[in-house]
Amino acid sequence: MNHTVNRVILHCDMNGFYASVELLDYPQLRDKPMAVCGDPESRHGIILAKNEIAKQYGIVTAETLWQARKKCPELQTVPPHHQKYQHYSRLINDIYLQYTDMVEPFSVDESWLDVTASQKLFGSGRQIADKIRHQVKKELGLTLSAGVSFNKIFAKMGSDYKKPDATTVITLENYKELLWPLDIRDLFFVGKATADKLQGIGIHTIGQLAGSDRQTVTALLGKQGGVIHDYANGLDQTPVSRFDEREEIKSIGNGSTFRRNLEGIQDVRTAVIALADTVAVRLRKKKKKTFGVKVDIKDPSLKVISRQQQLDNPTNLAEIIADTAVSIIEKSWNLRHPIRMLTVTAINLCPEDQAQQLSLFSNENVQTETGEKMERAMDDIREKFGRNAITFGRILKNDIGLESIKKPEDSK
């Protein structure tokens, strides 16, 4: 088997990141069970993060606040501050960049680092991981767990292996002993549905997957089966991207669960323009336009449908994105049925200066130019006076909870 053993990859994973960042501002809660939690009033009462003490009560991420309170009545909660987490994420990655330019963020609190070429300067993979842990703790007051290995998958599993504030080294010599006895669900990229299928043919551990016939697993799971069979055998060759050459954003979307269910077209229009506005602002910031709009609709019984529509010309205007989204909803949803959650996503992105094939017989060119001037003027006002300084008239005095809409997510 061909293992690329000369690489030294780190995976750094912040411990209870949201909760740890909040505790910097709430030191009085450090010795108490504490969690970061969405607002129960607007149906976002879900545990987003918890400290080590809360973890000992069996409190888990994504459970509801009332479930957590049953386990631990004295649980202290604080609201999330996503801008603060982004700020600390930047500071943490700045520390990583002192050791290598091969830093690939995986999420707001996790990054891979390729330190193969950094060892002459900073020592072995373990020494670099320990230096980073101590520096982050000293400079930012936060802790992380690090995995060190010869590929990205085993480095990620190393950071999960021992928490909090630890370094685990997974080598060619010890990976079978450390990882093969673990449950199949502990292998990166193996979700519940995949695990159920594997268990159905008697594969319960990572070692059993590694020792199984690759063709059998591929026949069961398709291409993904071959990929995870390779992962179990330590055959991941994926490179770590350089920090300044990260993958292009493929989509920008935003969704919200509303304070009350949306009923009828007026509610839908109000919600959609608010979501489309945040997506359009993000597109303009990233100097992107979208060739398509996707809408995800969830009803009160949590049934979800997803529909999309391509545009004749790319846009980064909220009004065009909103009109397209409303049109999709009108075509694909019975408006007599309530809507619990809506997501609007800009898909098939392109650089904003890409040439547009506008129809010579259309006044769309003039409309687009006018709309862009107006929305860019709104961007400028918000930049100076804050996000809520100006908005679309339809959004004002709504009762569906649009003030809780977060910044949109970028997807790779």
Side-chain angles (χ1 to χ4, degrees):
M1 285 186 183
N2 177 25
H3 294 88
T4 310
V5 291
N6 57 348
R7 292 198 299 164
V8 180
I9 311 292
L10 270 55
H11 183 268
C12 296
D13 187 2
M14 302 306 297
N15 301 136
F17 182 53
Y18 289 7
S20 301
V21 169
E22 293 299 342
L23 285 170
L24 298 173
D25 289 336
Y26 298 96
Q28 70 277 18
L29 300 181
R30 200 167 286 282
D31 300 323
K32 298 185 169 85
M34 168 269 190
V36 180
C37 176
D39 175 15
E41 294 305 308
S42 57
R43 307 203 316 192
H44 293 290
I46 286 172
I47 303 294
L48 302 174
K50 66 277 172 200
N51 67 357
E52 286 297 318
I53 301 169
K55 210 180 275 187
Q56 287 160 19
Y57 284 86
I59 291 168
V60 294
T61 302
E63 73 178 331
T64 58
L65 178 57
W66 68 265
Q67 286 171 317
R69 285 246 159 89
K70 273 164 79 172
K71 297 175 186 174
C72 177
E74 62 271 34
L75 181 70
Q76 306 287 312
T77 63
V78 298
H81 298 93
H82 292 278
Q83 276 179 310
K84 208 192 308 187
Y85 312 143
Q86 293 291 348
H87 170 70
Y88 275 93
S89 182
R90 283 192 291 273
L91 296 179
I92 293 157
N93 280 297
D94 284 346
I95 290 174
Y96 300 157
L97 288 163
Q98 292 171 27
Y99 295 86
T100 175
D101 62 347
M102 308 287 280
V103 175
E104 182 184 335
F106 181 56
S107 67
V108 73
D109 61 342
E110 298 176 63
S111 293
W112 278 290
L113 291 70
D114 187 329
V115 296
T116 311
S118 309
Q119 294 175 99
K120 287 188 179 128
L121 286 173
F122 302 110
S124 69
R126 179 188 282 280
Q127 288 171 321
I128 294 171
D130 287 342
K131 281 177 182 169
I132 287 172
R133 285 196 303 110
H134 295 142
Q135 190 175 343
V136 169
K137 192 192 283 187
K138 185 181 169 194
E139 292 181 16
L140 304 178
L142 302 169
T143 67
L144 65 90
S145 293
V148 184
S149 195
F150 53 90
N151 68 45
K152 286 169 77 173
I153 298 300
F154 282 2
K156 161 79 176 154
M157 293 179 72
S159 69
D160 288 336
Y161 195 83
K162 192 177 176 197
K163 292 183 174 185
D165 200 16
T167 299
T168 301
V169 182
I170 295 176
T171 65
L172 195 57
E173 291 71 40
N174 72 7
Y175 80 87
K176 294 178 184 177
E177 178 195 337
L178 289 183
L179 303 181
W180 278 12
L182 297 177
D183 189 288
I184 191 64
R185 285 169 296 196
D186 292 326
L187 181 61
F188 194 41
F189 284 132
V190 173
K192 186 182 181 305
T194 302
D196 288 346
K197 285 181 185 173
L198 290 169
Q199 286 163 350
I201 60 165
I203 294 174
H204 298 275
T205 67
I206 295 172
Q208 286 172 338
L209 174 62
S212 68
D213 177 59
R214 192 178 191 274
Q215 281 184 309
T216 304
V217 179
T218 306
L220 180 73
L221 300 170
K223 188 181 166 191
Q224 177 70 1
V227 172
I228 62 170
H229 189 275
D230 289 349
Y231 287 172
N233 282 292
L235 295 174
D236 169 43
Q237 309 276 340
T238 320
V240 174
S241 304
R242 251 179 53 177
F243 192 76
D244 57 357
E245 290 178 356
R246 282 170 291 164
E247 202 180 336
E248 272 290 292
I249 295 164
K250 301 281 195 308
S251 65
I252 292 174
N254 205 1
S256 183
T257 301
F258 302 95
R259 187 178 294 144
R260 62 171 176 77
N261 292 330
L262 305 183
E263 309 265 5
I265 191 64
Q266 295 309 319
D267 276 359
V268 165
R269 284 186 199 281
T270 303
V272 163
I273 190 66
L275 292 168
D277 182 30
T278 63
V279 170
V281 168
R282 193 84 177 127
L283 282 168
R284 293 192 292 272
K285 230 174 208 171
K286 295 279 183 185
K287 296 189 169 16
K288 299 280 185 191
K289 289 191 173 183
T290 178
F291 269 108
V293 175
K294 180 165 82 84
V295 177
D296 296 284
I297 306 169
K298 186 188 282 185
D299 73 11
S301 66
L302 307 187
K303 178 193 151 205
V304 178
I305 70 159
S306 187
R307 299 287 184 272
Q308 55 185 258
Q309 187 175 313
Q310 299 312 305
L311 302 172
D312 294 331
N313 298 295
T315 187
N316 52 18
L317 297 184
E319 292 221 55
I320 295 173
I321 294 168
D323 286 348
T324 308
V326 169
S327 157
I328 293 169
I329 294 166
E330 285 179 322
K331 277 186 260 180
S332 55
W333 190 258
N334 182 342
L335 287 164
R336 289 195 294 276
H337 290 166
I339 294 173
R340 183 174 196 266
M341 183 183 184
L342 265 185
T343 302
V344 174
T345 306
I347 56 175
N348 303 338
L349 306 187
C350 66
E352 68 179 1
D353 54 6
Q354 191 165 307
Q356 297 182 25
Q357 300 300 312
L358 290 172
S359 162
L360 294 171
F361 305 104
S362 167
N363 65 352
E364 191 175 341
N365 210 346
V366 179
Q367 287 177 327
T368 301
E369 214 171 287
T370 310
E372 273 200 35
K373 280 181 184 165
M374 188 193 82
E375 293 197 19
R376 286 188 190 280
M378 287 171 69
D379 291 347
D380 292 342
I381 292 167
R382 285 164 169 168
E383 195 72 32
K384 281 182 191 162
F385 304 109
R387 186 179 147 202
N388 299 321
I390 187 168
T391 191
F392 290 87
R394 175 176 286 284
I395 298 172
L396 296 171
K397 294 186 179 166
N398 74 85
D399 67 339
I400 57 176
L402 295 180
E403 65 279 359
S404 66
I405 288 180
K406 309 269 189 312
K407 282 188 172 178
E409 296 299 319
D410 299 346
S411 297
K412 297 294 188 282

